């Protein structure tokens, strides 16, 4: 590709069917307690 | 849906629904302003004509082909088909709990959302009996979830440390029988830390959040003792000691910025200079009438400050060293699944808070809001209808989130912030959203730079 470079490898779509196991941390417990960012959490499956 | 922006010489295009992150050239960036699916075999003539004032014809044609190829691959303009999963987690088990172990505090921080510790409902410490009931409640409502989280919060939890220790012991004694694994965390202002407590925290807590705002003058202006003096000099050596003994264990020094320190990048670096490398500094949550409250007028300055912080981090990393700024952390490849991203923290659904009286609330920030009281441990009550209502708070039921590019990164934001500022957990608080979006834009570019990506996508 000359015009577009994709820098991530995973496709979120692939995670929908197999996700939702609930093993990961509740996002608010990690450091914030007053805001919410989920995308910086880890998948723990 | 796509989102495109320019930062640090990069043209970034996000494909919201696949999570695709693309670095593109100027031609692609401009073309994406004018085209969207469905795509024909060739670039629309009007677009060719418009772009041919600035770009070569053959480049326009090859660019269009690349956009269509990315679309066909499902990484550009991909469909949003996650709504079908949004209702799945409605009957979710409860897996996380915030235990307000002490509704009392030995500091009088001006911006405290807990009304200097008592949440406006009276100073009180949780008893071991109530703590045990909370553990039993969590185990009972956790169904097949193995990892259970318990955050000791306050007020100041170290004011009730003996009960904290006994609750940990009680919970650990139940792990095997119920096939559970407790992960404890604690949030402290550090005033009461001593060798014994440091050892206990480092042994039992999977994460510890150490409150401090940054530079001494910034911290001491807001984080005061009862006599009005600042706490900085007392807590810094204690935090250093804890972190040193903690080794590789997870921790955060966590600060709050207000209108008084809009140059908060300097507070982040002050904490770094003091020897801490896991840092979170966040915007204050408070009544907009307070003199230190952040308002929408402050947004341009806040945005510039996040950019300044990003550059300071990059300059620092050029010296071969690294540190974590919580809100710039982003894993583009191994992050949470799409299901997780439909709702934020899960408050009121898979996450609840317990007060010293055994009252159950959706989270610590709802404590004291009578209409959001979900039940009581002594009375054995729990409002499943309210739980269901919170479960239905996801990116598809929040009108402002539905069509927002950031919805799978922030997952609908903080319900408590929404309630506090907008009067409705489903109603997004615009300023929080704008700050979150800016942090994400910076985090993504930071990622690209760290990966050694060129601003020119044709370069390897």
């Amino acid at each position: 590709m000359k015009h577009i470079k994709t820098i991530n490898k995973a496709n979120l779509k692939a995670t929908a069917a197999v996700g939702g196991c609930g093993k990961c941390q509740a996002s608010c417990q990690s450091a914030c307690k007053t805001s919410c960012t989920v995308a910086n959490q880890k998948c723990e499956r | 849906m796509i989102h495109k922006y320019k930062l640090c010489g990069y043209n970034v295009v996000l494909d919201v629904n696949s999570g695709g992150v693309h670095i593109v050239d100027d031609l692609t960036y401009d073309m994406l302003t004018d085209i969207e699916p469905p795509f024909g075999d060739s670039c629309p003539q009007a677009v060719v004509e418009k772009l041919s004032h600035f770009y070569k014809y053959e480049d326009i044609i090859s660019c269009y082909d690349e956009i269509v190829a990315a679309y066909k691959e499902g990484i550009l303009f991909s469909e949003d088909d996650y709504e079908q999963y949004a209702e799945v987690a409605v009957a979710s088990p409860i897996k996380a709990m915030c235990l307000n172990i002490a509704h009392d505090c030995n500091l009088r921080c001006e911006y405290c959302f807990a009304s200097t510790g008592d949440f406006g409902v009276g100073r009180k410490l949780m008893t071991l009996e109530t703590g045990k009931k909370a553990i039993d409640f969590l185990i009972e409502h956790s169904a097949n979830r193995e990892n259970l989280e318990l955050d000791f919060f306050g007020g100041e939890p170290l004011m009730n440390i003996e009960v904290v220790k006994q609750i940990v012991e009680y919970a650990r004694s139940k792990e095997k029988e119920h096939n559970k694994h407790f992960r404890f965390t604690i949030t402290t202002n550090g005033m009461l830390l001593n060798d014994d407590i440091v050892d206990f925290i480092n042994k039992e807590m999977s994460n510890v959040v150490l409150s401090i705002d940054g530079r001494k003058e910034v911290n001491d202006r807001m984080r005061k003792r009862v006599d009005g003096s600042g706490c900085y000099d007392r807590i810094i050596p204690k935090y250093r000691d804890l972190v040193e003994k903690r080794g590789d264990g997870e921790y955060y020094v966590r600060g709050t910025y207000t209108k008084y320190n809009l140059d908060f990048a300097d507070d982040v670096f002050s904490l770094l200079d003091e020897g801490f490398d896991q840092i979170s500094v966040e915007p204050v949550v408070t009544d907009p009438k307070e003199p230190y409250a952040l308002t929408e007028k402050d947004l341009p300055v806040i945005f510039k400050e996040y950019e300044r912080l990003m550059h300071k981090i990059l300059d620092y990393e050029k010296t071969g060293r690294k540190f974590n700024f919580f809100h710039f952390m982003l894993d583009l490849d191994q992050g949470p699944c799409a299901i997780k991203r439909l709702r934020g923290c899960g408050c009121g659904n898979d996450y609840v808070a317990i007060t010293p009286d055994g009252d159950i609330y959706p989270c610590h920030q709802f404590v004291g809001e009578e209409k959001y009281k979900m039940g009581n441990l002594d009375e054995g009550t729990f409002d499943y209808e309210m739980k269901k209502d919170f479960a239905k708070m996801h990116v598809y039921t929040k009108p402002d989130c539905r069509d927002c590019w950031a919805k799978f990164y922030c997952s609908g934001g903080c319900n408590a912030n929404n309630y506090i500022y907008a009067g409705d957990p489903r109603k997004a608080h615009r300023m929080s959203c704008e700050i979150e979006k800016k942090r994400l834009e910076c985090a993504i570019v930071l990622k690209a730079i760290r990966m050694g990506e060129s601003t020119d996508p044709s370069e390897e």
Side-chain angles (χ1 to χ4, degrees):
Chain A
M1 294 274 211
K2 182 179 157 196
H3 304 281
I4 303 174
K5 183 158 188 204
T6 304
I7 65 168
N8 66 313
K9 296 180 184 73
N11 190 318
L12 197 53
K13 297 242 169 180
T15 69
V18 295
C21 74
K23 287 186 177 172
C24 53
Q25 193 177 31
S27 57
C28 194
Q29 300 280 56
S30 48
C32 45
K33 303 297 273 191
T34 59
S35 67
C36 192
T37 305
V38 172
N40 63 5
Q41 303 285 295
K42 290 180 205 144
C43 173
E44 297 187 38
R45 199 182 182 99
Chain B
M1 188 196 312
I2 63 166
H3 170 65
K4 60 191 182 83
Y5 66 97
K6 292 173 183 270
L7 189 60
C8 291
Y10 287 87
N11 298 327
V12 181
V13 176
L14 305 180
D15 183 50
V16 173
N17 299 317
S18 70
V21 181
H22 314 288
I23 307 295
V24 304
D25 60 7
D26 289 339
L27 168 55
T28 309
Y29 194 88
D30 290 343
M31 189 180 284
L32 285 171
T33 305
D34 294 315
I35 62 168
E36 61 178 19
F39 294 118
D41 290 339
S42 55
C43 188
Q45 197 52 38
V47 176
V48 174
E49 279 173 21
K50 181 179 170 188
L51 294 173
S52 59
H53 294 295
F54 311 100
Y55 304 102
K56 287 186 208 159
Y57 177 77
E58 56 269 31
D59 286 340
I60 295 170
I61 300 306
S62 66
C63 175
Y64 182 77
D65 289 345
E66 281 192 26
I67 289 173
V68 174
Y71 168 66
K72 287 181 177 167
E73 205 186 317
I75 52 174
L76 203 60
F77 295 110
S78 61
E79 290 293 321
D80 182 347
D81 48 16
Y82 302 116
E83 193 164 0
Q84 57 180 310
Y85 300 105
E87 298 300 312
V88 171
V90 167
S92 176
I94 297 173
K95 67 167 184 175
M97 184 177 267
C98 180
L99 217 48
N100 283 10
I101 197 81
H103 272 190
D104 198 357
C105 193
N106 43 12
L107 289 183
R108 296 290 181 267
C109 305
E110 274 196 40
Y111 48 53
C112 184
F113 66 78
S115 307
T116 68
D118 74 350
F119 289 80
V121 291
R123 299 193 180 277
K124 199 172 268 187
L125 302 181
M126 184 178 283
T127 63
L128 174 59
E129 190 192 359
T130 300
K132 283 181 175 177
K133 281 182 185 168
I135 297 293
D136 293 342
F137 176 90
L138 183 54
I139 291 172
E140 186 191 331
H141 289 80
S142 61
N144 61 348
R145 294 282 189 264
E146 284 175 32
N147 292 337
L148 303 183
E149 297 158 33
L150 198 79
D151 187 41
F152 292 102
F153 200 67
E156 170 49 38
L158 299 191
M159 292 179 81
N160 200 10
I161 186 66
E162 289 311 312
V163 172
V164 171
K165 288 178 181 174
Q166 291 169 72
I167 290 172
V168 167
E169 192 182 345
Y170 179 75
R172 290 275 184 241
S173 75
K174 296 280 177 182
E175 284 183 318
K176 204 170 174 186
E177 177 190 348
H178 297 280
N179 191 31
K180 303 292 179 190
H181 173 61
F182 277 95
R183 284 193 291 203
F184 299 106
T185 55
I186 194 163
T187 303
T188 179
N189 65 27
M191 294 293 285
L192 297 175
L193 283 173
N194 60 31
D195 288 347
D196 173 58
I197 295 173
V198 165
D199 289 346
F200 168 75
I201 286 175
N202 284 344
K203 177 169 176 269
E204 292 290 357
M205 303 291 155
S206 66
N207 187 16
V208 53
V209 179
L210 307 167
S211 301
I212 183 169
D213 285 350
R215 290 163 291 182
K216 177 177 159 68
E217 63 274 21
V218 169
N219 182 83
D220 286 353
R221 184 169 184 180
M222 297 303 270
R223 302 188 66 78
K224 297 172 188 165
R225 303 184 215 208
V226 179
D227 68 4
S229 63
C231 66
Y232 186 89
D233 290 336
R234 181 176 170 98
I235 60 176
I236 274 280
K238 291 175 184 287
Y239 285 174
R240 267 202 217 110
D241 177 55
L242 183 147
V243 169
E244 195 176 305
K245 289 177 178 163
R246 199 163 172 79
D248 294 333
E250 199 179 344
Y251 78 92
Y252 275 97
V253 285
R254 185 217 177 275
T256 298
Y257 70 82
T258 71
K259 197 190 276 286
Y260 295 157
N261 61 316
L262 290 171
D263 55 349
F264 57 86
D266 290 343
D267 292 294
V268 173
F269 271 80
S270 172
L271 293 168
L272 184 64
D273 290 342
E274 292 293 348
F276 306 109
D277 60 3
Q278 308 291 321
I279 302 169
S280 180
V281 174
E282 308 207 14
V284 68
V285 176
T286 193
D287 185 334
K289 293 190 195 95
E290 295 290 351
Y292 53 81
L294 301 168
T295 64
E296 292 198 12
K297 280 186 191 159
D298 298 316
L299 283 175
V301 178
I302 292 170
F303 291 169
K304 283 278 167 222
E305 192 61 9
Y306 278 114
E307 287 184 25
R308 191 168 79 93
L309 177 59
M310 184 177 72
H311 287 293
K312 277 177 81 91
I313 290 172
L314 287 168
D315 287 344
Y316 181 77
E317 290 182 353
K318 278 180 195 156
T319 64
R321 295 172 292 175
K322 286 206 160 144
F323 77 100
N324 266 338
F325 177 67
F326 181 73
H327 281 292
F328 284 170
M329 287 164 64
L330 202 57
D331 188 339
L332 297 177
D333 297 324
Q334 305 284 322
C337 63
I339 310 295
K340 165 91 168 179
R341 292 172 189 246
L342 301 180
R343 338 180 137 65
C345 58
C347 79
N349 182 30
D350 59 20
Y351 169 54
V352 294
I354 309 289
T355 72
D357 287 325
D359 290 334
I360 307 167
Y361 285 91
C363 85
H364 56 292
Q365 287 205 76
F366 280 102
V367 167
E369 295 290 340
E370 195 60 23
K371 72 173 177 174
Y372 283 106
K373 186 172 151 183
M374 299 184 82
N376 180 276
L377 294 175
D378 292 327
E379 294 162 9
T381 51
F382 186 63
D383 187 341
Y384 285 95
E385 284 306 309
M386 197 186 299
K387 179 180 185 298
K388 209 183 284 178
D389 189 43
F390 270 87
K392 288 181 176 174
M393 292 176 195
H394 49 69
V395 295
Y396 297 105
T397 55
K398 294 179 177 176
D400 298 315
C401 301
R402 209 181 166 91
D403 298 318
C404 174
W405 67 264
K407 63 184 171 186
F408 296 129
Y409 294 93
C410 81
S411 304
C414 172
N415 291 335
N417 275 3
N418 291 351
Y419 174 68
I420 291 163
Y421 285 116
D424 181 348
R426 287 179 170 85
K427 203 169 171 189
H429 174 233
R430 184 179 168 268
M431 200 174 68
S432 299
C433 295
E434 294 305 314
I435 291 174
E436 172 69 3
K437 286 192 263 191
K438 184 65 189 182
R439 290 191 298 223
L440 287 168
E441 289 187 344
C442 289
I444 288 164
V445 165
L446 202 50
K447 197 91 190 166
I449 294 171
R450 284 170 175 160
M451 289 166 74
E453 295 294 342
S454 165
T455 53
D456 179 354
S458 67
E459 279 180 22
E460 275 307 311

